[in-house]
């Protein structure tokens, strides 16, 4: 906006000589004020114009117009608005003079966060644009104003009007549009916008992260996996949380080994209990049983409650002797532990211990499973005591 207002100053002052409607007296006062302003003596320049006495309405409007610029350059935006409002509403400024003045007034309102007033003038400006002036950036200002007012539908429409033209700056309007689409809960539209933003700023992780989140939200988890994977491949520094989400997406797509590897590469992956549990779980899903066992062993050193997970996997893989000592460390789960030991001791051909554990399970909580074990083991024990006949 600073560059634009500086350009307006030039336009205003250069038009002094071209304006045949200005009285000689007023033109002289304006030239005097302009000379002071060029030396950055804005307060003196304003005083000269404020003390200019003229009975001509056009002179008053033109003086107000120039004074508004000087007020703005002096940092007195509210006074600048008052003077430019007077100049514009007078209706005496014509053609390009009127358009440029109203443009500055709209920009001043925007600077002062008076968005409704700014919009009133911006919408008037786009109706008639003088030659050699563009209305593209006006639509951008309109989008910005609607955004501040949280008028999301209007943000989208005005941003589209801006983007429909051949413009260089696409980042800002697309960012405004994205914010509006998210507020309106339009995830499919936001996904398209994020794709355009990534083309412009491929190194901005925020866009990739938001895109993957929305893809998950609309049920496109495979695309979300591709998004985060590509972000990582492009060298973006994914956060710990990003990597965990990436691992979850790998697992959901049936690639648990990649999920486990992703978690194993995180900071404190070999010490943080939650990360250890995630790794062990993913290795199990990948049927990498021994690797999962090794990770569960690390986990139980910090959190003994995971001894049950370790014991179950040891039993599954036939490490029966090792599983006994682990089962002894399991807290709670008395019935489940007794039944697990029943199975383990049976596999180790220690039938008396197996039967003892089955009876313990039945005593703690009667169940058909415990009864079945007791019956089966009792029969096995009886059979083993039968006298052997000679062949």
């Amino acid at each position: 906006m600073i560059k634009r207002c500086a350009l307006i100053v030039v336009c205003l002052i250069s038009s002094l000589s071209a304006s045949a409607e200005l009285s000689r007296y007023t033109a002289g006062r304006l030239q005097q004020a302009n000379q002071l302003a060029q030396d950055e003596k804005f307060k003196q320049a304003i005083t000269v114009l404020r003390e200019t006495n003229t009975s001509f309405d056009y002179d008053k409007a033109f003086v107000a117009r120039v004074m508004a610029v000087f007020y703005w350059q002096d940092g007195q935006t509210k006074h600048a608005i008052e003077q430019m409002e007077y100049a514009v509403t007078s209706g005496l400024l014509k053609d390009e003079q009127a358009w440029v003045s109203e443009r500055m007034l709209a920009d001043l309102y925007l600077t002062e966060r008076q968005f409704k007033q700014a919009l009133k003038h911006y919408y008037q400006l786009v109706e008639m644009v003088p030659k050699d002036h563009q209305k593209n950036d006006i639509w951008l200002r309109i989008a910005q104003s609607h955004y501040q007012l949280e008028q999301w539908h209007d943000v989208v429409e005005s941003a589209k009007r801006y983007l429909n033209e051949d413009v260089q700056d696409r980042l800002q309007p697309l960012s405004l549009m994205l914010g509006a689409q998210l507020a309106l809960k339009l995830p499919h539209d936001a996904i398209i916008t994020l794709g355009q933003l990534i083309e412009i700023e491929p190194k901005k992780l925020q866009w990739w992260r938001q895109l993957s989140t929305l893809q998950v939200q609309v049920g496109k988890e495979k695309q979300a996996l591709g998004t985060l994977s590509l972000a990582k491949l492009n060298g973006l520094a994914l956060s710990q949380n990003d990597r965990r989400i990436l691992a979850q997406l790998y697992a959901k797509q049936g690639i648990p080994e990649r999920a486990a590897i992703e978690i194993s590469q995180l900071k404190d992956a070999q010490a943080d209990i939650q990360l250890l549990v995630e790794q062990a779980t993913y290795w199990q899903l990948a049927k990498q049983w021994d690797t999962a066992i090794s990770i569960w062993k690390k986990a139980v050193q910090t959190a003994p409650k995971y001894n049950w997970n370790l014991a179950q996997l040891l039993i599954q893989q036939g490490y029966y002797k090792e599983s006994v000592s682990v089962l002894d460390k399991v807290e709670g789960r008395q019935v489940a532990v007794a039944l697990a030991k029943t199975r383990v001791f049976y596999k180790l051909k220690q039938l008396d211990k197996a039967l003892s554990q089955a009876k313990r399970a039945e005593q703690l909580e009667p169940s058909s499973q415990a009864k079945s074990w007791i019956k089966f083991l009792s029969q096995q024990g009886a059979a083993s005591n039968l006298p052997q006949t000679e062949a």
Side-chain angles (χ1 to χ4, degrees):
M1 178 175 169
I2 293 174
K3 291 182 178 179
R4 182 180 303 114
C5 287
L7 179 60
I8 290 174
V9 174
V10 174
C11 293
L12 294 181
I13 301 306
S14 64
S15 63
L16 290 176
S17 58
S19 178
E21 298 181 56
L22 276 176
S23 67
R24 182 177 297 179
Y25 162 75
T26 301
R29 300 286 291 185
L30 285 164
Q31 292 287 3
Q32 181 183 349
N34 180 46
Q35 186 60 53
L36 290 167
Q38 287 180 349
D39 295 332
E40 297 188 1
K41 297 177 180 179
F42 302 117
K43 285 182 171 57
Q44 293 93 319
I46 292 167
T47 299
V48 169
L49 295 180
R50 196 166 49 225
E51 294 176 353
T52 299
N53 296 315
T54 176
S55 58
F56 298 109
D57 290 338
Y58 179 78
D59 285 21
K60 291 177 182 178
F62 200 100
V63 167
R65 182 191 191 208
V66 177
M67 200 185 309
V69 176
F70 294 158
Y71 270 127
W72 170 78
Q73 290 180 307
D74 196 44
Q76 301 184 58
T77 309
K78 291 184 179 178
H79 288 305
I81 288 175
E82 291 173 2
Q83 293 298 321
M84 193 61 81
E85 187 73 64
Y86 173 83
V88 170
T89 56
S90 71
L92 295 171
L93 303 176
K94 301 298 181 183
D95 303 326
E96 185 175 2
Q97 282 188 6
W99 194 89
V100 171
S101 299
E102 188 162 14
R103 174 61 193 271
M104 181 177 177
L105 177 59
D107 286 343
L108 288 169
Y109 275 127
L110 182 61
T111 301
E112 286 296 292
R113 303 184 65 80
Q114 296 184 41
F115 303 114
K116 290 183 179 179
Q117 285 294 92
L119 283 169
K120 169 188 169 184
H121 292 284
Y122 282 134
Y123 274 115
Q124 290 175 350
L125 289 165
V126 293
E127 292 300 319
M128 185 176 294
V129 182
K131 187 178 180 181
D132 299 328
H133 287 271
Q134 293 185 341
K135 63 180 177 182
N136 298 346
D137 58 338
I138 299 177
W139 282 114
L140 180 57
R141 296 289 180 265
I142 290 173
Q144 291 171 331
S145 300
H146 281 306
Y147 191 92
Q148 294 297 330
L149 294 170
E150 298 184 2
Q151 296 169 340
W152 307 122
H153 287 289
D154 293 319
V155 173
V156 173
E157 290 306 312
S158 49
K160 283 181 178 178
R161 292 289 296 269
Y162 175 81
L163 291 166
N164 283 339
E165 304 293 335
D166 183 18
V167 294
Q168 295 295 321
D169 175 23
R170 298 179 61 83
L171 177 61
Q172 189 175 6
L174 285 171
S175 299
L176 293 171
M177 186 183 293
L178 174 63
Q181 289 166 338
L182 293 174
L184 291 168
K185 296 183 172 22
L186 300 172
H188 291 91
D189 292 346
I191 285 172
I192 295 172
T193 302
L194 279 164
Q196 295 174 298
L197 284 166
I198 287 172
E199 288 183 10
I200 298 171
E201 284 190 319
K203 292 299 181 181
K204 188 166 183 177
L205 178 57
Q206 177 187 344
W207 304 140
W208 296 87
R209 184 180 289 143
Q210 283 186 299
L211 178 57
S212 65
T213 299
L214 288 174
Q215 287 169 329
V216 170
Q217 183 180 324
V218 300
K220 296 182 177 181
E221 293 184 341
K222 186 175 183 179
Q223 289 89 329
L225 172 60
T227 295
L228 280 183
S229 298
L230 186 57
K232 183 183 177 184
L233 186 64
N234 287 345
L236 275 70
L238 299 185
S239 69
Q240 292 272 107
N241 189 57
D242 293 329
R243 301 279 293 275
R244 291 175 83 165
I245 292 173
L246 180 56
Q248 291 169 8
L249 291 170
Y250 273 127
K252 287 181 179 180
Q253 292 302 310
I255 319 173
E257 185 173 357
R258 290 293 300 274
I261 293 171
E262 197 67 41
I263 295 296
S264 70
Q265 294 173 349
L266 296 181
K267 181 182 178 182
D268 298 326
Q270 301 307 310
D272 182 274
I273 184 60
Q274 190 56 44
L275 295 180
L276 286 169
V277 170
E278 289 179 28
Q279 288 177 74
T281 301
Y282 290 139
W283 283 123
Q284 277 190 236
L285 289 171
K287 298 182 179 180
Q288 299 292 324
W289 311 117
D290 287 346
T291 305
I293 286 172
S294 69
I295 301 298
W296 281 124
K297 286 181 178 179
K298 290 181 181 179
V300 299
Q301 293 175 10
T302 303
K305 67 179 181 178
Y306 293 110
N307 273 304
W308 177 242
N309 302 75
L310 173 58
Q312 286 181 298
L313 193 53
L314 287 169
I315 295 169
Q316 175 189 305
Q317 293 308 111
Y319 300 121
Y320 300 119
K321 288 184 179 180
E322 187 177 358
S323 71
V324 174
S325 61
V326 176
L327 285 168
D328 287 338
K329 299 174 185 175
V330 174
E331 298 177 359
R333 301 178 180 272
Q334 294 183 50
V335 176
V337 168
L339 288 171
K341 283 186 174 181
T342 300
R343 180 187 175 193
V344 168
F345 285 130
Y346 171 72
K347 291 290 186 180
L348 292 172
K349 302 186 184 306
Q350 300 177 22
L351 300 185
D352 289 344
K353 289 184 179 180
L355 181 58
S356 175
Q357 290 297 324
K359 289 179 178 179
R360 174 174 168 74
E362 175 67 12
Q363 183 181 11
L364 289 169
E365 185 180 306
S367 67
S368 59
Q369 186 178 5
K371 287 182 175 65
S372 296
W373 269 114
I374 291 170
K375 181 180 179 180
F376 172 73
L377 291 168
S378 297
Q379 292 172 344
Q380 292 291 311
S384 65
N385 290 326
L386 289 175
Q388 301 296 315
T389 59
E390 293 183 6

